[in-house]
Amino acid sequence: MSALIPALDKQPAKPALCFGDTALGYPRLAASARALAGRLAGHGRVAVWATPTAETAVGVVGALLAGVPVVPLNPRSGDRELAHILADSAPSALLTGPDDELPETAAGLPRITVGTEEPADAAVPEHMEPGQDSVPALIVYTSGTTGPPKGVVLSRRALAASLDDVADAWQWSADDVLVHALPLFHVHGLVLGVLGPLRRGGTVRHLGRFTVEDVTRALGEQGGTMLFGVPTMYHRLAEAAGTDPALAQALGGARLLVSGSAALPLRDHERITSATGARVIERYGMTETLMNTSVRVDGPHRPGTVGVPLRGVDVRLVDDDGSRVEASDGETVGEIQVRGPNLFTEYLNRPGATADAFAGGWFRTGDMATRDAEGCYRIVGRRSTDLIKSGGYKIGAGEIENCLLEYPGVREAAVTGVSDPDLGERIVAWIVPADDADRPDAAALAEHVAGRLAPHKRPREVRFTTALPRNDMGKVMKRELG
Ligand code: MLC
Ligand code: AMP
């Protein structure tokens, strides 16, 4: 296979990575990543402490050059989540920035400090980029309906195929300067948001954290041409754009605004367009599949849909009894199933879960959608009420319920996602206390989940009840809650 990032050899004269005041051109990125790759010889798999920094980007590129699969870790993971991911993925070392402070759970791992200061002409070992497309490149952890997160193994082929497919749909070129503020431990921020611009030979400007002011500056005076965000970010931009002319001008001047990871409500599409003249393009993806569909730059603009299948991806709708939905009537609902080189290889250490995820070679997404006469897909919901999308993060209800049940004074717990204008869905915990006169403290329950799992998994609301609605089998009927 050809190099995943050809610009490391061609070294165009432009910044590759901009994180705050740190900017790395291609020669320096290549030198730093190659130096790291040399240090990774002999490692089977490494983890990276995925702060939103240039060190994380260099760490991942170095591991890709070395052919060493890399596991991005959320630096805010709680002790339980982190211990699970480290035990499951068994990395031989942890790549970190020089100043990262590690929690005790990660402190036992050999640490490799990533540098970004290698002089471009330093003598560094020839890189060892593997020749095989099927070599695992990334292992990204993602929540399921039950149990702890699963490691999704993504090959070099999947990364390259998906990045080239979206480049085709978005006319994404080396001239683009991508702006974003997404976390680097999921595929949106890391694969699309960092490896995407590098594969094109362009530039990424990462904002560290999302603020309306920084987006305005990056798309305005700093010359950004594209913005990637989750709907929560676009919602906040839509709220501000009506009364902030500088923001409206910056958004209106961008070549492309892309939203993904969850549905962007029509109202936010409309507010952004009326304030800025710009249109937001939606694309649909998943950790296991990378990108599947998108509204195309050269196609019809269809807000409220996730567009058409990407060039290399087969997409079909399947009804409850397993037969293919042939109708393109914008009404008949089926489960989205996908096939193509963009798909993951397996769930790490979970052959059963991998087998269950496929139907005759097609990956079952669990997302329900319609298809219209122009071939545009509209996502209408999910098969399971146990998967919540909050702020663009996928969160499994079961994992949070198990965590809540450990807390003193909790007899029963159920977790649901309730519609929320900012987060899309917000996590609500339904708690049956052991003693109704002595209920656990709601803030302490949220803190418990944040500290054990991750802050974005914490319940934003706790509702106490005397009993959970259950069916004859004893299963909680979540649709009756709320
Ligand atoms: C609050 N905080 C707590 C806390 N309460 N911390 C610990 N314990 C508690 N009890 C802290 C948080 O750590 C954070 O700190 C701050 O309060 C706000 O946290 P938040 O409420 O979670 O942030 P919020 O403002 O809601 O974040 C919105 C957001 C974020 C949009 C910025 O949700 C986000 O980055 N989403 C991106 C998700 C994503 O990338 N998904 C892609 C998945 S891949 P501080 O210091 O920050 O203030 C995928 C495939 C595809 O889906 O198709 O793309
Ligand atoms: P994750 O497992 O975090 O990768 O999340 C993947 C899920 O995000 C998909 O299965 C969808 O439910 C959802 N998703 C991603 N993009 C979109 C979109 N544009 N519209 C609606 N849902 C989306």
Side-chain angles (χ1 to χ4, degrees), residues 142 259-263 282-288 306 365 367 379 382 389 392 394:
T142 186
S259 175
S261 301
E282 273 196 82
R283 96 297 182 280
Y284 159 64
M286 201 170 174
T287 306
E288 289 88 334
V306 293
T365 65
D367 293 309
I379 296 177
R382 270 186 303 273
K389 264 274 163 167
K394 182 152 89 178

Side-chain angles (χ1 to χ4, degrees), residues 76 181-183 186-189 209-210 230 232-233 236 260-261 283-287 291 389-394 422-423 443 446-447 450-451 455-456 458 460:
R76 287 204 168 132
L182 294 156
H186 280 309
V187 301
H188 194 168
R209 59 179 302 160
F210 176 83
V230 293
T232 301
M233 295 172 181
R236 294 177 188 178
S261 301
R283 96 297 182 280
Y284 159 64
M286 201 170 174
T287 306
M291 298 303 117
K389 264 274 163 167
S390 186
Y393 287 111
K394 182 152 89 178
D422 182 48
L423 295 171
E447 196 60 46
H456 65 265
R458 72 189 187 276
R460 307 276 173 145

Side-chain angles (χ1 to χ4, degrees), residues 164-214:
D164 293 349
D165 278 355
V166 290
D168 167 66
W170 301 339
Q171 299 177 355
W172 188 354
S173 80
D175 294 333
D176 279 304
V177 177
L178 172 66
V179 172
H180 75 91
L182 294 156
L184 300 189
F185 47 86
H186 280 309
V187 301
H188 194 168
L190 183 61
V191 177
L192 287 195
V194 174
L195 300 180
L198 297 182
R199 183 158 171 85
R200 299 275 73 77
T203 302
V204 55
R205 177 174 292 283
H206 196 284
L207 304 178
R209 59 179 302 160
F210 176 83
T211 67
V212 169
E213 297 70 30
D214 286 349

Side-chain angles (χ1 to χ4, degrees), residues 159-367:
L159 303 184
S162 204
L163 291 175
D164 293 349
D165 278 355
V166 290
D168 167 66
W170 301 339
Q171 299 177 355
W172 188 354
S173 80
D175 294 333
D176 279 304
V177 177
L178 172 66
V179 172
H180 75 91
L182 294 156
L184 300 189
F185 47 86
H186 280 309
V187 301
H188 194 168
L190 183 61
V191 177
L192 287 195
V194 174
L195 300 180
L198 297 182
R199 183 158 171 85
R200 299 275 73 77
T203 302
V204 55
R205 177 174 292 283
H206 196 284
L207 304 178
R209 59 179 302 160
F210 176 83
T211 67
V212 169
E213 297 70 30
D214 286 349
V215 170
T216 305
R217 194 172 317 111
L219 289 179
E221 64 203 54
Q222 292 175 327
T225 65
M226 295 168 83
L227 178 69
F228 287 175
V230 293
T232 301
M233 295 172 181
Y234 283 103
H235 175 76
R236 294 177 188 178
L237 294 171
E239 296 265 279
T243 54
D244 181 343
L247 171 64
Q249 197 183 355
L251 291 172
R255 187 181 76 76
L256 201 62
L257 307 175
V258 186
S259 175
S261 301
L264 182 65
L266 261 183
R267 185 174 141 71
D268 289 326
H269 272 285
E270 286 162 4
R271 285 200 301 176
I272 289 179
T273 302
S274 79
T276 71
R279 303 188 289 196
V280 181
I281 274 186
E282 273 196 82
R283 96 297 182 280
Y284 159 64
M286 201 170 174
T287 306
E288 289 88 334
T289 64
L290 299 175
M291 298 303 117
N292 296 312
T293 71
S294 182
V295 172
R296 295 182 61 90
V297 167
D298 57 2
H301 183 65
R302 303 298 306 280
T305 81
V306 293
V308 295
L310 293 170
R311 191 175 57 181
V313 187
D314 287 337
V315 180
R316 67 177 189 180
L317 295 179
V318 173
D319 69 17
D320 278 346
D321 57 23
S323 46
R324 197 174 178 137
V325 173
E326 301 295 348
S328 291
D329 54 5
E331 278 180 19
T332 313
V333 175
E335 181 188 18
I336 301 179
Q337 299 189 351
V338 295
R339 202 169 60 173
N342 53 312
L343 258 53
F344 74 130
T345 312
E346 59 172 347
Y347 292 116
L348 190 69
N349 306 325
R350 285 175 179 74
T354 307
D356 289 349
F358 286 87
W362 293 80
F363 177 73
R364 300 156 51 191
T365 65
D367 293 309

